[in-house]
Structures are given as structure tokens and as C-alpha cells.
Amino acid sequence: MGPGINLLVFLKFSKLVLKELPTSTSILRYLLQSRDEKFVRLGAELKNVKEYCELAEIHLNQKIELLLNLSEDFYKTHIPPLVFQMVLDNQFKNYDCASEIGLKIEVYIENGKFVVVKTSNPPSLKNNVKNDRFINNLKQRYQLYNRASGVSELSTADEYFVKLPLMIG
């Protein structure tokens, strides 16, 4: 590899780092601010989700379509911090990056009591043990704040759903 190629790779890497830096800093700031909180506002968590998906697009080298289909009235409800990050991490780990289909993630409210995260590509069956561990960890996180977790999941041939209870108040 000649010096010209090395410089080209370095310049491309430098542009990528500069593009990621503000988003990474914002995500890290949110992590540090919310880590000791019992609950965070859904609106703050969703802002973090947007940034997290932007960063994941770069790392997965794949388009992530994030649809937030919920009224801003729910932005003041509460959930435990970083639960969306747990859900998204699970999906990103199980996502087939070789797929030509980008990852589609939709967030919406169900019955005014739950926030649902629906992804277009369900975890593969070969990762079922890891997925069971993930959902158990998520339930345990909720049980730290609420006696019954209320967390549930559903997987179909084309979609994967995780339902998280909102903490109103």
C-alpha cells in the first residue's frame, strides 16, 4: 500500500470521526446524566434513541429508519433510563448486516400505558438463548422500579415487538 492510499484511508477515517463525535458526546452526556436516575422522561429517552440510531447507521453501514409514531403528550411520561438502548443493542446485535433491507424501527404508544418498539427484522432463532437473556435483563431492570415488570415481547416472521410500560406521573 502506497503513502497515497494510507493518506486517503486516514482522511476518510478522520471525516468519519468528526461526523460521529458530536453524536457520541451527546449520547455519553445523556448516559452520565441519567445513570443514577430512577426514571427519565420519555422525550429525553427518545432524543437519545435518535442519536443512537444515527451512530448505529455508521457502525452497521446500513440505513436505519426510525419512526416515532406517538403524540408529544407522552414525552412527559417516565420510563427507566436507557431501556431503549438495551432494546436497540439487542436488535443491532441480531441484525443481519449483509441484508440488503435496512432496519426499520417504529416506536408507538399502545393503550396509553405502554411504549412499543417494533423492528422489521426479528432476532434469528439461532440467537434465541441470547434473546431470552436480553428480555430477562430488561424485565429485571423494570422490576428495580416496579414490583411487576410488565415487559413483554412478541416475534413474528417479519417483525419483533418489545412492549415497555410507561410510568405515568
Side-chain angles (χ1 to χ4, degrees):
M1 215 187 272
I5 303 255
N6 287 337
L7 180 61
L8 204 58
V9 169
F10 175 76
L11 289 174
K12 184 177 179 180
F13 178 73
S14 297
K15 286 180 184 178
L16 188 61
V17 168
L18 288 175
K19 184 178 177 180
E20 286 185 20
L21 193 58
T23 304
S24 298
T25 303
S26 180
I27 291 169
L28 183 58
R29 186 178 312 111
Y30 179 76
L31 175 83
L32 293 172
Q33 289 172 345
S34 65
R35 71 175 179 202
D36 295 328
E37 297 294 321
K38 188 172 182 177
F39 299 108
V40 293
R41 289 183 182 235
L42 180 60
E45 189 78 357
L46 292 174
K47 180 183 179 291
N48 187 56
V49 164
K50 289 178 191 175
E51 293 173 339
Y52 200 67
C53 285
E54 288 173 17
L55 202 57
E57 274 188 339
I58 295 167
H59 290 283
L60 294 173
N61 197 26
Q62 190 67 265
K63 176 71 178 150
I64 297 173
E65 183 180 347
L66 178 64
L67 304 167
L68 300 177
N69 291 328
L70 58 151
S71 165
E72 287 189 18
D73 295 341
F74 287 99
Y75 281 30
K76 293 181 181 175
T77 59
H78 294 89
I79 59 173
L82 305 169
V83 292
F84 280 108
Q85 192 166 343
M86 291 174 71
V87 173
L88 294 175
D89 277 344
N90 183 60
Q91 292 309 101
F92 297 154
K93 287 176 191 171
N94 292 310
Y95 178 64
D96 180 9
C97 291
S99 171
E100 292 181 17
I101 302 169
L103 188 58
K104 184 186 248 184
I105 301 167
E106 181 181 3
V107 179
Y108 60 92
I109 300 295
E110 183 178 284
N111 299 328
K113 296 179 183 178
F114 297 94
V115 61
V116 178
V117 182
K118 177 178 86 171
T119 52
S120 57
N121 293 345
S124 66
L125 292 176
K126 69 179 180 181
N127 290 322
N128 200 33
V129 171
K130 289 181 186 174
N131 201 55
D132 287 345
R133 191 174 319 132
F134 149 73
I135 205 69
N136 285 334
N137 287 342
L138 194 56
K139 285 178 180 180
Q140 287 174 0
R141 182 160 182 87
Y142 258 86
Q143 286 172 341
L144 290 173
Y145 309 110
N146 193 12
R147 278 184 262 159
S149 79
V151 173
S152 62
E153 69 168 335
L154 173 69
S155 189
T156 68
D158 299 320
E159 297 171 322
Y160 178 70
F161 302 83
V162 175
K163 187 162 60 169
L164 308 164
L166 291 170
M167 307 297 176
I168 310 292

